[in-house]
Amino acid sequence: MQSITKLLTTSCLATMLAGTAHAQVVPVEALPETNTASTTSDDDKAIVVTGTRIVRPNNKSAAPIATVTAQEIQAQGATTIEEVLNRLPQVAPNAEQNYAESSGRQRIKLRSLGFERTLTLVDGLRLGIQNGLDVGIIPATLVERIDVLSGGASSVYGSDAVSGVVNFILKKNFDGVEINANYNFYNHQNRENAVTDAARRSFFQAPTGLTNDGARMDVTLTAGKSLLDDRVNLTGFFSYRQADLLPQGSRSWSACEVTTPTRDSALSCTRSQYTQVGTIIPGAGANAGRVLVNNPNGSGNFIPWGSTQGAAANPFDEFAAQRQFNRINAGGFLTVKLSDAAEIYSTLLAYRDRSQNPTPLRVYPASVFGATSYQVNCNNPFLSASQGQTLCGNAAGTNTLVPFNLLYRFDGLPPAYNKFENKGYRVTGGIRGNVFDAWHYDLSGVYSTNTSKLTYPAFPNFDRLRQALIVDNVNGVPTCRTGGASCVPFNPFRPYNNDAAFANYAFENVDGSEVSKPSMWQVLGTVSGDLGTYGIKSPLAEQGVAIALGVEFRAERYIETADALFRQTNGGTDARFTQNIWEGNVEAQLPIVEDRSWTKLLQVNAGYRRSKYNRLAGSFDTWKVEGLWAPVDDITFRGSINKAQAAPTLTQVVSASNINYVTVGSRNDPCATTPDPQNPGRFLAPVASIEACRATGLPDNLYGSQTLSCPDGLCTIRNGGFELAPETAYTKTFGVILRPRFLPGLTVSIDRFLIDLDDQINYFGANDFVNGCIQTQNPYFCRGIVRNPGTYTLYSPATGNPSTGFFIQGTSNGYKSDSHGWDFQSQYALNLDQAGRVDLSFNGTLMTSIGGQDSPTVGARQCVGYYGPFCGEGFPKWTHGLRTTWSSLENVVSLSLNWRYQGPMTITYNATADTGIPYGAADRRTTYNRIRDYNYFDLAATFNVAKRYTLRLAVNNLFDRDPPLIPNSRSLLGLLRNNTLFRYDLLGRQIVAGATVRF
């Protein structure tokens, strides 16, 4: 058995190095005879197999697997694992490090079916608790390859492997010292466009011209030593990465958030009433309710909000297109070979990631604190005569207190920060070996934990704000009427008042923090055996029946805590949840026919798993049946059917049941009139029809009332409050692998995948409920709009844990969804003799269905090629990557061109009736209604010098293409990205330089 294992290991390594050195994505079928098993060195006798626990030679995959190599990762200059995977057609792109409101944890979403349905492994073992994990713990430079298995794999790996498995195989068993360094930045031409025009109409700055920015760097030191005749190896690594802040306002296409206030109207910029000059809203008298600002010229009079430069603010100019972050990764690997029957192994991965988004300090309106309004005395020394007349009328100059509201933004003071820190470690250990000639055992354990800390900016003290606004003239010195000597008076009637003393007094320099800490313990024992040794085999096959038996225990824990200030401003309570899982599984491989004149291979695989969750009643099972048939060497047919099941994860349970309230990412009441950005003082008609508003419980007489408007157009959102049930998927894959003997070096695979999910657990955003109610008036959607009794408003202060007055959103069971399509992969290696060689690698996906049905009473919808409400960020019908690489003799120089293609998509407002997307002719757009197809080209060059030095140069997005412009991306479409989608290169041309030095 040892000789077989060594032969398999050595053969696979040689094939990887010889045949896939520069491929973007390698179909594992290109690795003949060992296409699912590989390791990182001849000394490592362990075999890491993706898709099965059975260890045997000639282990062919019955499910599609694509592999990304270490060379491709280096060529990209990737700083995060997300960037590597985002290029794969099988992956729905994501960018947690650049998404303003996210924690920064990196997660993977296969087939557009959600993070929780993609199982993430490291060397075949779980990375951590689902949805609480962070692949940022994996240093990109330590990845040997990434295997992406499509389709269900729950019978092998347990819950969560519904849409597929991503298995990171790490480099281990170093002998020597290696230093890897990379530096990259963006070289982008900011062009004039519709956004720059809209920004100037709103008096906002818009960048133009060539810029070099967004620098990122990473350095990794790896050192290892083999001892005692290579029986012991100890390897350690340390990696440091950092990135510069790149605000959204640094790109001309995101100079402001653009909207179309009415269908097909001209673009306008979202404008905030939190202004640098101070926004004043009188609460009584002839000017009550008018939105005014201090004249930016300092003349001491009020003018209408938004009427001139400085009279409105850009609410998203400080949001990050690329966060400022730094990350430390460290860890090590230990293997101790005692004998063929016992090898001890252990790994340690640890990391700490810190990032932040700047935000200006703000004075919020009194309604945010649950109060009616602020007050100001009409003889306040800070009031000019004109301002006093506007606020107080005939009471100007007297001691009378009058109500008003105030919004102020301090751009001249150091910003506050939303801070994100993720840290954790993962330890594995085990013993494995070969015994009794035919058997391989592996007993392993994993402990994984990480802590995510979100720190909110300082929140102003309402009592201090109120005291600082009532000011008397005491011997020529403005003095707070109440609050004592420590009170610092504030002059809100002066533009650009950046009084640091007042800010220190009112904001108290205290941040509110929330911490989540998921942890997982896993113990896994497997035994794999070749029963052919005992004569148990088909009479028409040379190999016998192979089996694997496994027992697994997992304990999961999720802890969520917050400090007093966070609870004061956001509500909620601390939480601690635990969950235990027992599972047992069995797999079998049965070669029926091998190496006959009429059939080269006919094989059946099967698997079964039984799972018991202590938080669920009873137990559930998953299974698989697979088949392989190769009538000749050139052609192999394969297919698999899986029942995959996913129990609600701990974090899903917490998200569903734990209630908290926010306004971030919200919108205004669709039944209220809204200010016209183009005509201050005028109001636009409600977004929703009167029929839709009735369905939300609104009386007809309040339809279009301004009293329904929420402060700053942001209503309250209640997160959570749902109960969850498990979900089940039936996944099928069928395909063919072609290796024509008349064209050596060519491998082509074509696979059909069908994933059908019932009772899917999804995150339903407030916009999903609101848009669904507006379009269908179906109670399923309209239940997400909960009005206050009496006033019928949708705003309630978060501190009171309200039971009404909000939109709802959160994690809940839906009804059905599916993801169907075709995968096309190929690799071709052409030997040019003394001129070197050319490698071509292709990976493409044709989506035929991305469907969803939210309830039995709501029609099914089809989202292939659509983006927007009901379809989110969408999925193009066709995407692909094609990399062509020329390598000189002995790989001294290699040059590579990668072509990435994204197919066109249409906005859901323009969906055809047969899609089931509930929009009609009245909603159709004639402008900004479609994203055209996108072609990206990347160049890379590698130079190997004296076998000890490697230099890398690359240019990604060679032609500096801007991403597509999508108005209303946040406010109406719920895409949570300023003016575009994650799928595209957001920041322009990227220039990469890297080097590797070996000692």
Side-chain angles (χ1 to χ4, degrees):
M1 184 69 182
Q2 179 187 3
S3 61
I4 293 175
T5 303
K6 186 170 184 178
L7 175 63
L8 170 62
T9 301
T10 306
S11 172
C12 182
L13 175 68
T15 307
M16 287 281 291
L17 292 179
T20 67
H22 302 287
Q24 177 190 18
V25 174
V26 181
V28 290
E29 295 76 23
L31 307 180
E33 303 304 322
T34 59
N35 58 4
T36 62
S38 76
T39 183
T40 56
S41 81
D42 293 346
D43 297 326
D44 187 356
K45 305 303 188 295
I47 303 173
V48 177
V49 181
T50 299
T52 180
R53 299 289 188 189
I54 292 175
V55 177
R56 73 183 306 173
N58 304 320
N59 201 357
K60 298 180 185 296
S61 174
I65 301 175
T67 294
V68 181
T69 67
Q71 289 77 13
E72 167 62 19
I73 296 172
Q74 288 185 333
Q76 290 180 32
T79 306
T80 68
I81 289 294
E82 283 178 320
E83 298 171 63
V84 178
L85 294 172
N86 281 352
R87 294 188 172 200
L88 300 182
Q90 295 84 356
V91 173
N94 188 49
E96 294 290 304
Q97 277 287 357
N98 296 334
Y99 166 30
E101 294 88 3
S102 79
S103 67
R105 289 175 175 168
Q106 299 177 60
R107 300 174 294 173
I108 306 166
K109 181 168 56 177
L110 289 176
R111 304 299 186 192
S112 197
L113 283 175
F115 306 112
E116 294 79 11
R117 300 182 191 98
T118 300
L119 183 61
T120 304
L121 307 175
V122 178
D123 293 329
L125 297 173
R126 286 178 177 252
L127 175 60
I129 183 174
Q130 277 296 96
N131 203 40
L133 55 80
D134 184 355
V135 297
I137 197 173
I138 303 170
T141 51
L142 264 292
V143 175
E144 177 67 29
R145 76 179 200 271
I146 306 171
D147 288 346
V148 180
L149 181 149
S150 298
S154 289
S155 64
V156 177
Y157 296 113
S159 179
D160 315 321
V162 171
S163 59
V165 173
V166 178
N167 191 10
F168 294 88
I169 311 301
L170 302 184
K171 300 175 183 177
K172 298 177 283 292
N173 288 7
F174 277 80
D175 201 343
V177 178
E178 181 178 282
I179 299 175
N180 258 296
N182 293 284
Y183 178 83
N184 61 72
F185 64 94
Y186 294 98
N187 170 251
H188 176 68
Q189 181 73 36
N190 280 305
R191 306 168 183 89
E192 295 281 348
N193 52 50
V195 179
T196 59
D197 293 341
R200 293 190 182 100
R201 290 197 303 271
S202 296
F203 309 108
F204 295 157
Q205 295 295 316
T208 57
L210 186 65
T211 182
N212 295 306
D213 53 20
R216 306 185 302 174
M217 60 81 67
D218 66 89
V219 178
T220 301
L221 170 66
T222 307
K225 182 65 178 176
S226 295
L227 307 167
L228 303 177
D229 295 327
D230 295 339
R231 289 183 172 271
V232 177
N233 182 271
L234 180 63
T235 299
F237 69 90
F238 178 85
S239 178
Y240 176 78
R241 306 169 185 217
Q242 71 175 39
D244 292 346
L245 172 67
L246 200 58
Q248 288 185 359
S250 63
R251 293 294 180 263
S252 60
W253 58 264
S254 60
C256 67
E257 182 185 73
V258 289
T259 64
T260 51
T262 59
R263 184 165 57 100
D264 293 328
S265 65
L267 296 183
S268 65
C269 290
T270 300
R271 296 184 294 176
S272 173
Q273 292 182 356
Y274 291 96
T275 62
Q276 306 93 321
V277 297
T279 302
I280 308 294
I281 306 174
N287 295 300
R290 292 187 64 194
V291 182
L292 306 170
V293 296
N294 297 306
N295 196 322
N297 65 14
S299 59
N301 63 305
F302 295 130
I303 61 174
W305 170 73
S307 58
T308 188
Q309 186 169 358
N314 185 342
F316 302 113
D317 55 351
E318 296 296 332
F319 276 34
Q322 173 178 285
R323 285 189 194 172
Q324 178 185 2
F325 82 91
N326 65 78
R327 179 184 301 146
I328 295 172
N329 292 80
F333 311 95
L334 172 67
T335 57
V336 180
K337 180 68 178 293
L338 301 177
S339 68
D340 290 347
E343 181 183 55
I344 298 171
Y345 61 92
S346 181
T347 67
L348 168 65
L349 300 176
Y351 82 120
R352 188 221 65 204
D353 178 277
R354 289 176 178 166
S355 59
Q356 59 185 17
N357 285 323
T359 181
L361 292 175
R362 291 179 173 90
V363 172
Y364 301 99
S367 57
V368 171
F369 302 93
T372 304
S373 64
Y374 298 111
Q375 289 184 317
V376 64
N377 52 308
C378 292
N379 60 347
N380 189 306
F382 294 138
L383 280 172
S384 70
S386 173
Q387 291 168 334
Q389 185 65 36
T390 301
L391 281 172
C392 303
N394 293 333
T398 70
N399 200 31
T400 304
L401 294 176
V402 295
F404 80 113
N405 243 322
L406 170 67
L407 298 88
Y408 215 109
R409 169 174 158 166
F410 301 99
D411 280 14
L413 295 176
Y417 289 94
N418 286 306
K419 298 179 181 179
F420 310 89
E421 180 180 79
N422 298 294
K423 60 182 180 181
Y425 62 93
R426 178 182 182 270
V427 181
T428 71
I431 183 170
R432 61 197 171 203
N434 304 315
V435 294
F436 308 122
D437 295 328
W439 295 91
H440 177 86
Y441 74 93
D442 194 335
L443 178 62
S444 58
V446 180
Y447 176 69
S448 176
T449 183
N450 63 64
T451 300
S452 179
K453 182 178 181 181
L454 171 57
T455 302
Y456 287 82
F459 201 78
N461 182 299
F462 177 67
D463 291 334
R464 293 188 178 187
L465 284 176
R466 185 168 48 83
Q467 292 163 358
L469 294 172
I470 302 176
V471 180
D472 294 319
N473 188 336
V474 178
N475 298 322
V477 178
T479 305
C480 298
R481 183 175 296 178
T482 60
S486 63
C487 179
V488 178
F490 177 53
N491 181 2
F493 309 112
R494 191 184 87 193
Y496 309 109
N497 183 0
N498 296 299
D499 187 344
F502 165 74
N504 290 334
Y505 168 72
F507 288 87
E508 301 183 279
N509 293 321
V510 177
D511 296 337
S513 298
E514 181 183 33
V515 176
S516 63
K517 186 176 181 180
S519 303
M520 184 200 74
W521 295 260
Q522 179 186 23
V523 178
L524 174 66
T526 61
V527 176
S528 173
D530 189 344
L531 303 185
T533 304
Y534 309 107
I536 303 176
K537 63 179 182 177
S538 164
L540 300 177
E542 296 183 4
Q543 292 189 109
V545 176
I547 65 170
L549 305 172
V551 177
E552 181 176 348
F553 171 76
R554 294 197 307 277
E556 300 176 344
R557 181 181 67 192
Y558 183 87
I559 299 174
E560 186 173 271
T561 59
D563 60 22
L565 183 60
F566 179 91
R567 294 291 180 226
Q568 176 185 340
T569 56
N570 296 278
T573 57
D574 291 355
R576 184 181 189 275
F577 293 85
T578 61
Q579 178 170 261
N580 296 330
I581 304 103
W582 283 97
E583 297 183 299
N585 75 298
V586 58
E587 281 188 86
Q589 289 183 359
L590 174 59
I592 300 173
V593 180
E594 285 185 299
D595 294 325
R596 303 290 171 167
S597 59
W598 44 278
T599 290
K600 300 303 294 183
L601 175 67
L602 178 63
Q603 178 176 303
V604 175
N605 307 330
Y608 177 82
R609 176 178 291 257
R610 192 77 177 175
S611 304
K612 171 62 178 175
Y613 284 67
N614 70 323
R615 298 180 65 92
L616 299 176
S619 57
F620 61 86
D621 57 3
T622 55
W623 47 262
K624 72 171 182 177
V625 178
E626 302 175 332
L628 287 161
W629 177 43
V632 294
D633 286 332
D634 309 61
I635 303 174
T636 300
F637 298 98
R638 62 184 176 188
S640 69
I641 302 175
N642 287 262
K643 177 193 176 186
Q645 195 149 10
T649 67
L650 265 179
T651 48
Q652 286 176 330
V653 170
V654 171
S655 173
S657 60
N658 194 29
I659 297 176
N660 63 79
Y661 301 86
V662 298
T663 58
V664 174
S666 187
R667 58 187 287 181
N668 202 19
D669 188 331
C671 301
T673 54
T674 55
D676 184 350
Q678 303 299 323
N679 298 286
R682 297 185 61 185
F683 290 84
L684 300 172
V687 174
S689 68
I690 192 169
E691 292 80 13
C693 293
R694 282 192 201 118
T696 72
L698 183 73
D700 286 359
N701 65 307
L702 289 179
Y703 177 69
S705 173
Q706 294 179 33
T707 63
L708 298 176
S709 288
C710 296
D712 206 28
L714 300 175
C715 297
T716 302
I717 294 176
R718 188 199 76 186
N719 290 294
F722 301 91
E723 296 295 331
L724 296 181
E727 59 184 16
T728 302
Y730 293 92
T731 70
K732 297 173 279 292
T733 61
F734 307 97
V736 60
I737 307 163
L738 305 175
R739 296 191 188 93
R741 281 170 286 184
F742 61 84
L743 198 57
L746 175 65
T747 300
V748 177
S749 66
I750 303 171
D751 292 279
R752 174 69 163 160
F753 63 89
L754 304 164
I755 304 173
D756 296 287
L757 185 65
D758 295 333
D759 299 321
Q760 83 275 18
I761 300 172
N762 278 342
Y763 179 83
F764 293 87
N767 272 313
D768 296 323
F769 287 112
V770 175
N771 291 329
C773 182
I774 290 173
Q775 296 302 321
T776 69
Q777 291 91 65
N778 191 296
Y780 179 84
F781 295 112
C782 294
R783 67 191 171 106
I785 303 175
V786 183
R787 296 189 177 278
N788 282 315
T791 63
Y792 297 95
T793 56
L794 290 169
Y795 179 81
S796 295
T799 54
N801 290 323
S803 59
T804 59
F806 45 71
F807 302 128
I808 66 171
Q809 67 181 17
T811 303
S812 175
N813 283 98
Y815 184 53
K816 292 178 180 293
S817 64
D818 64 65
S819 181
H820 298 171
W822 294 85
D823 279 337
F824 301 84
Q825 298 181 54
S826 65
Q827 185 187 30
Y828 180 54
L830 178 63
N831 193 334
L832 303 177
D833 296 326
Q834 294 302 309
R837 59 179 282 158
V838 173
D839 289 281
L840 292 93
S841 177
F842 179 83
N843 184 18
T845 295
L846 175 70
M847 296 301 301
T848 58
S849 177
I850 298 177
Q853 188 173 1
D854 294 309
S855 82
T857 62
V858 176
R861 61 182 179 273
Q862 179 54 253
C863 286
V864 172
Y866 289 97
Y867 68 93
F870 300 102
C871 293
E873 298 215 4
F875 217 105
K877 189 171 184 178
W878 173 258
T879 60
H880 75 241
L882 171 63
R883 183 174 287 277
T884 304
T885 302
W886 170 81
S887 302
S888 68
L889 204 61
E890 298 184 355
N891 288 328
V892 175
V893 179
S894 69
L895 301 175
S896 179
L897 174 65
N898 186 35
W899 171 29
R900 293 178 283 137
Y901 176 82
Q902 302 281 349
M905 292 194 293
T906 301
I907 197 166
T908 50
Y909 294 120
N910 289 21
T912 57
D914 61 331
T915 64
I917 299 172
Y919 287 110
D923 301 297
R924 295 183 68 84
R925 267 59 171 168
T926 59
T927 60
Y928 301 105
N929 56 10
R930 184 171 172 82
I931 299 173
R932 56 166 295 180
D933 58 339
Y934 263 66
N935 294 279
Y936 291 110
F937 295 92
D938 311 318
L939 281 176
T942 302
F943 307 91
N944 292 305
V945 183
K947 298 183 179 181
R948 292 181 57 185
Y949 309 100
T950 301
L951 302 178
R952 298 178 297 275
L953 297 173
V955 181
N956 298 322
N957 188 4
L958 179 65
F959 298 109
D960 192 26
R961 292 210 59 184
D962 285 337
L965 178 59
I966 303 175
N968 307 305
S969 61
R970 186 187 304 263
S971 59
L972 291 183
L973 305 186
L975 301 181
L976 302 179
R977 166 54 54 188
N978 189 24
N979 299 344
T980 193
L981 304 175
F982 282 130
R983 177 173 297 280
Y984 303 90
D985 287 16
L986 302 184
L987 301 175
R989 181 189 300 113
Q990 184 185 48
I991 297 177
V992 182
T996 300
V997 181
R998 305 171 189 87
F999 300 95

